[in-house]
Amino acid sequence: MSLRTLSLPLLLAAGTLTLSLTACTRIETGEVGLRVNFDKTVDPTERLPGSFNQTVVGEILTFKIQDVAVGVDNMTPLASDNSTVKDFDMTVVYNVNPSAVSELWTTKNRTFHGLSDKGGDILLMQNYVALSARNAAYKVARGYESLKMADNRPLMEQQIRENIIRTLTEEKLGDKITVSQVQVRAITPADVIVQSANELVRAQNELKTKEVEVQTAKKEAERIAALNANAGAIGYMNAMANLKIAEGVANGKVQTIVVPYDFKGIVNAK
């Protein structure tokens, strides 16, 4: 047998191997795959991460199921003070149970799902979770005044997450979708609310300034009244002091000259 005859099977085998490798889809970590057969039916068995799946016949759909982030932006919920929040943005992170991928894809409306930024992965129930999160945010925001939302951000995040989970449970999705985190990224009160708050702070500062001025004037009035009330006592103390000085001089204990307070000096002295 010639070398050329031997090489032909090897070439065919190599070509088959190359074709097999290029016609395979590997499921990455954090993803689950589903096979779509040539007749467009979906195989109910999920393809798990690490598996290689041929795509010579049919195709493999990949679904990102771990830490799927949903941005819910530009919301304008109504606060408890009946003011409309100018902007409310948040992010919801959820995970999909791998064993529920086939059921969710084949039984739920396609509009419930989304696509990754690059369009390579299907994000199961992304749009549904976003809608549930939006409804939860509007409901929770109604319990807080507009200017107090920022201070209560952690509590609001917890309550929004609880509301989303409650909705999923009511729709029999609680064991299929797990909401792991809710992060409120921005809360911007209405301009009129901010303006009113600034005016209130300014008025309060002016009131405090006036209160200080009143207290200062009151203390000064009390000081003057006390001095006037003790005028007689001060005169008495001055008279006693002068008496002590006179007694000291008379007894020779003080070597000094007492000069009258209206002394004008010695005039015409020779």
Side-chain angles (χ1 to χ4, degrees), residues 10-252:
L10 293 175
L11 290 173
L12 291 174
T16 302
L17 178 60
T18 302
L19 180 62
S20 299
L21 292 176
T22 56
C24 282
T25 297
R26 182 179 184 274
I27 307 302
E28 303 293 339
T29 301
E31 296 179 343
V32 167
L34 287 179
R35 174 176 295 283
V36 179
N37 301 314
F38 71 93
D39 59 355
K40 302 303 181 182
T41 60
V42 178
D43 193 325
T45 303
E46 287 87 0
R47 267 59 177 180
L48 299 180
S51 64
F52 286 89
N53 303 270
Q54 67 84 16
T55 53
V56 176
V57 179
E59 62 177 325
I60 295 294
L61 299 178
T62 56
F63 303 84
K64 179 175 172 58
I65 62 169
Q66 287 186 358
D67 296 333
V68 181
V70 183
V72 188
D73 301 329
N74 303 320
M75 290 183 287
T76 55
L78 192 66
S80 63
D81 52 13
N82 292 323
S83 67
T84 301
V85 178
K86 184 177 181 180
D87 186 38
F88 192 106
D89 302 332
M90 68 181 185
T91 298
V92 179
V93 180
Y94 71 96
N95 299 279
V96 177
N97 187 335
S99 63
V101 170
S102 178
E103 178 186 349
L104 293 175
W105 177 247
T106 57
T107 64
K108 300 302 179 183
N109 193 296
R110 292 291 191 265
T111 60
F112 286 2
H113 313 306
L115 291 174
S116 60
D117 293 336
K118 297 181 179 180
D121 289 321
I122 300 170
L123 305 179
L124 283 173
M125 306 300 286
Q126 183 194 45
N127 295 334
Y128 180 86
V129 172
L131 179 60
S132 300
R134 180 177 293 271
N135 293 337
Y138 274 80
K139 182 177 181 180
V140 171
R142 197 70 176 95
Y144 294 88
E145 294 181 12
S146 184
L147 291 176
K148 293 183 179 180
M149 287 185 183
D151 293 336
N152 290 280
R153 188 188 304 252
L155 183 57
M156 292 186 69
E157 292 172 342
Q158 177 185 342
Q159 292 174 338
I160 291 172
R161 178 174 176 269
E162 291 173 350
N163 273 270
I164 299 173
I165 293 174
R166 187 178 301 112
T167 299
L168 294 174
T169 301
E170 291 173 352
E171 296 297 326
K172 305 296 189 293
L173 295 171
D175 59 339
K176 300 175 179 62
I177 300 174
T178 302
V179 177
S180 59
Q181 183 180 2
V182 172
Q183 179 185 17
V184 177
R185 292 180 282 106
I187 303 175
T188 306
D191 293 339
V192 64
I193 295 296
V194 176
Q195 181 180 354
S196 297
N198 291 335
E199 292 176 354
L200 176 61
V201 171
R202 183 165 54 251
Q204 290 175 339
N205 290 336
E206 292 176 354
L207 178 60
K208 289 180 180 179
T209 300
K210 292 179 180 179
E211 288 177 349
V212 171
E213 292 175 352
V214 170
Q215 291 296 326
T216 301
K218 182 178 179 181
K219 293 296 183 183
E220 180 63 17
E222 291 175 352
R223 185 184 71 82
I224 294 174
L227 290 176
N228 292 334
N230 294 326
I234 293 174
Y236 173 77
M237 287 187 288
N238 288 336
M240 291 300 295
N242 291 333
L243 178 60
K244 294 294 184 182
I245 292 173
E247 290 178 350
V249 172
N251 296 329

